[in-house]
Amino acid sequence: YRADQYIVNFGLLPNLEVIGRLANIEDKNRPYTHWHGQWVVRDLSASFKYQIPLYHPYLPKIAIGVQDLGGQADHYDAKYIVATKQLGFLRASVGYGIDSINLLDGAFGSMELKATDWLTLMGEYDSSDLQAGIRLNTPNYLSDYVDLSLLAKANLTDDSQRFSFGVNLKMELGDDHYSASPIALSTNYQSKPLVLADKASTKDNKALYDLKDKLVAVGLENIDIADRGETIYVAYENNVFDHNELDALGMVLGEMAALELPYKKFEVVIKRSNQKVKKISGDLQAYKKFLFDLDQGSLLAFKNSLQVSAPEFWDSELDIKGANPSYLKTRIIAYPGLKTFVGTEVGVLDYLVSLRIGAHWNLYKGFDLTFFGDIPAFRSDDLKAGGAYAYAYEGKKIKSLLLHRSDTYKDFINIASIGMLGDYYAFMDNLTYSHQNHTLSLKYTYLETKEKKWLVGYDYKLRQRRDIYYATYSYYYDRFDTLFQGTVGKYLNDDKGFELMAKRFFGDTAVGFFYQNADENYIGIRFEIPLTPRKIKDTFVQLKGRKNFTYSLRTTVQDEDGRNTLEPGGLIKPYREFDIESDFLNRNRLSQDYIKKHLFRLRDVYMRYRR
């Protein structure tokens, strides 16, 4: 008898913890019932725990929770309330659980004695068995960001479940660059008094060209600069700071402040494909104080002056136009492709690991060409010929070859794409309206097969034509740094339904919990991780990774027959390599509230890379 459990916990919102569990239980002594000649139980489940926000030095912390939510085949179903109190090196918990399978039914409790900062002695009663154990943790002085622990427990009640062992890794999901600590200036920096110049004298001054040279040296492209009286105007495109558009904005504002430009205000326009996307304006002198003389006053002055709005459609007179153009530069993107089948009746984990490699060229203003291919590298036996998931293996393949036309007008952005998408000729259109914290996106895809052919393992031919359309509304809530999103429409396999998701940002890493409803109900977890350096060099041929590599894991819930049978074909969207939310709107993080919440990132990037 052996039971393996793989558990991931993360804090989705303050006080709310989301838990995913994969259990694999095998008993060789039971008669053969299914796979591998032995009795097997595999289960994917989701759980939630909420800490009640009551804080008092003499009261314990209280949490309520529900395990194995959804479905009728609940192997770990339980609902509980627990109170925990720590006094010095001693921590105790007591709780009460209710379930239908005698797993956590009745009173339970535990006690921990922290002998050192790396050794803890434990004893617990889990409502049925008494257990004792030890936990070894990474000493505090080794790392403030990662905690690795080893656990060993002995069951003092049930000899059939004598020992259990575990390993636990706890870490921060991302660096938010949110440090408010003042950073010492270099010794050669001298603050100069502000002297405003009139427009004519400034044009003759080489200050604007000095700024242009600084921004080109950073690697920014399609740079426009103009003198507008008391305001300096700068527009640019960023292809060197891959994690977040705020990094490029911080460099632009930092160079303005360091050059002692004689302007009171600034207007900065962010571009993509040399098209204007968003305008950020504010008080340049307040930002200079925020950057070099940080205190509460300078922070509030700059924060209150900051505004994000739609850019003007037409260019007024420019002093510098189109410096360091992006046209025909080759951007090679490489990242891993990952397809998994987790916790199925076939096995604990089946996988296909591949290399996704592609290229992106900006041909002209608003015209981009993208190419992506997939080269398989490793796969499990069940994805080989004769395996249960052999149909999922497609070999080396061109994933997409698309020509894109992008247009922007005020808060509207549209991308129309035409070309090949896998085995289909494709036309795709994406119209998005983005204003402050609200984003509404309409996406349409028309697919037509290149030729009729049989799918391996299926008794029908590929549909010749497919229409996919859906609408997505997103709202960014700055207090929790969370994107709430709803999607409804018709998907790749002709199924219709909707999806609700809450996606929390931890710096540039994001974790989302979602619910999907179509022919089946799904719940799942989605991770977005930047697989590329924070800053890369500006060269004619760039090599970079993916700024938001995404991996999702989901399971069906509430089947009529009481099982959580995996249904992999529901609510599938055609993948877009050139996307408005990701490429134009910084993963929906270009709102005024988002920038104001992350002002210290603007300061951090300049101090890190320039000062």
Side-chain angles (χ1 to χ4, degrees), residues 345-586:
E345 67 275 16
V346 177
V348 175
L349 173 65
D350 285 294
Y351 58 88
L352 170 62
V353 180
S354 60
L355 174 63
R356 293 274 178 91
I357 188 164
H360 182 170
W361 297 273
N362 178 221
L363 306 178
Y364 189 67
K365 181 178 182 179
F367 287 94
D368 294 83
L369 180 66
T370 60
F371 164 81
F372 275 89
D374 190 80
I375 305 173
F378 310 102
R379 53 178 165 156
S380 61
D381 291 340
D382 287 314
L383 277 90
K384 297 179 180 178
Y389 304 116
Y391 67 87
Y393 179 76
E394 299 177 300
K396 297 178 182 178
K397 189 173 184 178
I398 296 177
K399 300 291 288 186
S400 66
L401 176 61
L402 293 166
L403 177 65
H404 312 274
R405 168 64 193 182
S406 57
D407 293 280
T408 63
Y409 177 71
K410 295 187 176 180
D411 286 323
F412 290 91
I413 306 172
N414 189 80
I415 298 180
S417 309
I418 189 169
M420 293 186 297
L421 194 67
D423 294 319
Y424 296 90
Y425 297 112
F427 169 76
M428 310 173 79
D429 191 76
N430 181 0
L431 175 63
T432 297
Y433 172 78
S434 173
H435 182 72
Q436 298 303 341
N437 296 340
H438 307 271
T439 304
L440 176 62
S441 184
L442 306 176
K443 295 184 180 180
Y444 171 77
T445 301
Y446 172 79
L447 302 176
E448 184 171 325
T449 54
K450 303 173 187 176
E451 57 180 332
K452 293 182 180 180
K453 67 177 184 178
W454 293 91
L455 274 175
V456 177
Y458 290 84
D459 58 356
Y460 60 86
K461 291 182 179 180
L462 283 171
R463 290 175 56 88
Q464 285 186 285
R465 297 179 178 86
R466 296 191 183 193
D467 291 282
I468 302 104
Y469 48 85
Y470 49 92
T472 300
Y473 169 74
S474 301
Y475 178 77
Y476 172 75
Y477 188 39
D478 61 308
R479 181 180 175 186
F480 297 152
D481 215 1
T482 298
L483 198 68
F484 295 96
Q485 185 170 287
T487 302
V488 61
K490 178 185 174 186
Y491 297 85
L492 184 62
N493 292 323
D494 284 341
D495 52 328
K496 297 180 180 179
F498 66 88
E499 174 187 274
L500 301 174
M501 182 173 66
K503 181 167 67 174
R504 177 83 183 272
F505 286 99
F506 302 88
D508 298 308
T509 299
V511 180
F513 175 77
F514 60 87
Y515 167 75
Q516 298 173 329
N517 176 277
D519 296 331
E520 303 288 343
N521 294 303
Y522 306 86
I523 57 173
I525 298 173
R526 180 174 300 162
F527 299 90
E528 294 181 11
I529 305 170
L531 292 183
T532 184
R534 185 179 178 186
K535 185 181 185 301
I536 60 177
K537 292 183 178 180
D538 172 41
T539 56
F540 195 78
V541 178
Q542 283 183 321
L543 177 62
K544 56 171 66 179
R546 184 150 190 84
K547 66 181 72 175
N548 59 335
F549 173 78
T550 303
Y551 175 72
S552 297
L553 183 64
R554 70 178 185 178
T555 180
T556 52
V557 295
Q558 296 179 340
D559 285 2
E560 292 182 359
D561 60 3
R563 297 179 300 157
N564 290 353
T565 307
L566 295 183
E567 301 288 346
L571 286 95
I572 303 299
K573 304 172 186 175
Y575 190 68
R576 297 169 180 259
E577 293 287 355
F578 193 55
D579 184 72
I580 291 178
E581 287 89 342
S582 176
D583 294 287
F584 281 69
L585 296 177
N586 192 36

Side-chain angles (χ1 to χ4, degrees), residues 13 27 32 70 72 99 122 170 256 265 287 337 374 578 588 600:
L13 297 172
D27 189 348
Y32 168 81
Q72 299 175 21
D99 69 13
M122 302 180 300
K170 182 169 63 176
M256 287 184 189
K265 300 177 182 179
Y287 184 75
D374 190 80
F578 193 55
N588 277 337
F600 289 107

